[in-house]
């Protein structure tokens, strides 16, 4: 029986628990609003009490004030109820995930049928994760409900990301004009996650704004573009205050210096340059800004930030586990056709062998000799046997072959035929 260390498997599962916890953290936002609104309400009430004491109490305005407070608190109550439901959902998901991981620690060895069951569940959720990332949402949902692993996968999160990606892509696929505002969804998401995006130094919102500006230039709406830049880029580049008011030459020099230390400023200045160039320009920097491939770059950037904020790994777990597994099996023999092992997935030249091509080899302290015919290990129970032509195969495989062919053995490499009696046992020292 093979013992195993659950920690080696759990090492890859960090984000499995982090994701619902991250969502839980976010769903508690209305609680913070509650404190603020209650403080505001108590201030107003206090003020009204003071007015009453002084005799300056105005019934009509007091009534209006109290009614406004009532409405606000009512709305907050509704939001809190919704948040409570969300919280319960995330806590339950977190608990189910924890239970799933704890199951693993109860398993003693790899022959335990529970281990097989646990692994199957793991493969199912890894597959669902992969399908979600690749955009096969319907298949992923079907698989998740079929195997009852809805709590162990992040369908809701990926659906949200997909909607935003589609909006960004829509511009590209259907060539909609700026009126379709394909950055809107992504900008909305940026706004909702402003402080967290700032923590990871994200430039996503800036790049989305640049794209909207470029689309205005593309549509030849130059005045609108200038207004847009005034409205939306102030927060990033408030140069007016920092510049010394000593003539335009000085200002120009300081701007030049700043573009070196502030890449956003440099990008902003270049972006403003698009005003002077038509969409079919051949001038490289502006041609690049008008290039539709910028949309793909935005999708990539959005996805990276979305994953980072939700503690989702940047790579699908399927890739990570597959790479680890293939690398553990890969030996220099895998790519020598004559020496390939029929049981080794990396030895298969058309499928997993291609995937493993760029992966590192595994480090084997002790080598084992594997039979070319059966793929089984040759040892004292299944000794290596040499044919008169020098090739070596396992006793069991040759024995089986000879019993099926009246004591004759055909060498799979050369096609030569020998009798079982001609074989010699090989001793490895
Ligand atoms: Zn191999």
């Amino acid at each position: 029986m093979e013992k195993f260390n659950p920690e080696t498997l759990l090492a890859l599962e960090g984000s499995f628990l982090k994701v619902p916890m991250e969502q839980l953290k976010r769903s508690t936002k209305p609680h913070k609003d509650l404190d603020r609104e209650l403080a505001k309400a108590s201030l107003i009430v206090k003020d009204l009490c003071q007015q009453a004491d002084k005799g300056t109490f105005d019934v009509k305005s007091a009534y209006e004030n109290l009614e406004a407070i009532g409405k606000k608190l009512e709305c907050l109550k509704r939001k809190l109820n919704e948040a409570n439901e969300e919280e319960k959902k995330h806590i339950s998901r977190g608990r189910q995930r924890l239970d799933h991981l704890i199951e693993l620690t109860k398993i003693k060895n790899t022959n335990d049928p529970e281990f097989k069951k646990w692994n199957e569940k793991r493969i199912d959720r890894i597959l669902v994760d992969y399908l979600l990332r690749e955009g096969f949402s319907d298949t992923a949902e079907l698989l998740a409900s079929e195997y009852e692993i809805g709590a162990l996968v992040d369908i809701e999160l990926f659906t949200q990301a997909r909607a935003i990606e589609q909006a960004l892509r829509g511009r590209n696929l259907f060539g909609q004009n700026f009126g379709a505002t394909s950055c809107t969804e992504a900008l909305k998401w940026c706004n909702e996650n402003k402080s967290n995006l700032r923590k990871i130094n994200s430039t996503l919102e800036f790049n989305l704004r640049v794209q909207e500006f470029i689309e205005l230039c593309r549509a030849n709406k130059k005045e609108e573009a200038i207004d847009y830049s005034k409205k939306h880029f102030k927060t990033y580049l408030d140069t007016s205050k920092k510049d010394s008011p000593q003539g335009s030459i000085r200002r120009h020099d300081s701007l030049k210096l700043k573009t070196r230390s502030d890449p956003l400023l440099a990008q902003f200045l270049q972006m403003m340059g698009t005003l002077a160039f038509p969409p079919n320009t051949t001038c490289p920097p502006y041609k690049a800004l008008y290039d539709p491939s910028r949309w793909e770059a935005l999708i990539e950037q959005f996805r990276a930030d979305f994953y980072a904020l939700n503690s989702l790994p940047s790579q699908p777990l399927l890739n990570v586990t597959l790479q680890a597994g293939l690398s553990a099996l890969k030996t220099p023999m895998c790519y020598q056709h004559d020496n390939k092992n029929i049981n080794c997935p990396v030895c298969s030249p058309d499928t997993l062998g291609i995937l493993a091509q760029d992966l590192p080899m595994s480090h084997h302290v002790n080598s084992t000799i594997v039979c070319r015919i059966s793929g089984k290990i040759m040892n004292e129970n299944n000794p290596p046997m040499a044919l008169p032509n020098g090739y070596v195969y396992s006793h069991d495989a040759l024995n089986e072959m000879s019993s099926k062919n009246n004591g004759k053995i055909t060498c799979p490499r050369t096609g030569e035929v020998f009798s079982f009696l001609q074989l010699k046992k090989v001793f490895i020292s």
Side-chain angles (χ1 to χ4, degrees), residues 27 54 67 90 100 114 125 196 222 263 283 285 295 315 322 346 360 364 383 388 404 424 427:
S27 64
K54 285 182 202 156
E67 196 173 38
H90 298 316
H100 173 62
E114 287 301 312
R125 65 183 164 84
N196 286 329
K222 296 200 171 158
C283 181
W295 286 97
Q315 288 276 324
L322 202 59
V346 187
H364 287 277
K404 282 181 189 160
K424 284 198 176 98
F427 295 92

Side-chain angles (χ1 to χ4, degrees), residues 189 197 200 202-204 301-310:
W189 180 79
L197 284 170
I200 59 167
S202 166
T203 55
L204 177 65
Q301 193 186 4
F302 161 71
R303 197 178 288 184
D305 285 359
F306 186 88
Y307 289 173
L309 247 56
N310 287 292

Side-chain angles (χ1 to χ4, degrees), residues 85-138:
E85 288 306 308
E86 279 282 300
E87 277 171 38
K88 271 188 214 155
K89 202 171 71 187
H90 298 316
I91 290 171
S92 147
R93 272 154 52 83
R95 181 160 295 157
Q96 287 181 64
R97 288 180 181 211
L98 203 57
D99 288 345
H100 173 62
L101 294 184
I102 288 171
E103 272 170 37
L104 187 68
T105 59
K106 293 177 191 154
I107 296 166
K108 297 278 180 295
N109 59 64
T110 50
N111 294 343
D112 193 328
E114 287 301 312
F115 182 65
K116 193 171 172 251
K117 249 169 78 185
W118 191 88
N119 260 332
E120 277 170 1
K121 206 179 219 180
R122 180 169 183 248
I123 290 172
D124 289 338
R125 65 183 164 84
I126 287 177
L127 280 177
V128 171
D129 171 77
Y130 183 79
L131 290 168
L132 286 170
R133 284 167 190 259
E134 292 296 308
F136 301 106
S137 328
D138 293 346

Side-chain angles (χ1 to χ4, degrees), residues 56-72:
T56 54
F57 194 72
D58 174 33
V59 178
K60 193 169 170 263
S61 81
Y63 177 77
E64 278 168 6
N65 267 332
L66 288 174
E67 196 173 38
I69 293 175
K71 267 186 191 156
K72 238 180 205 164

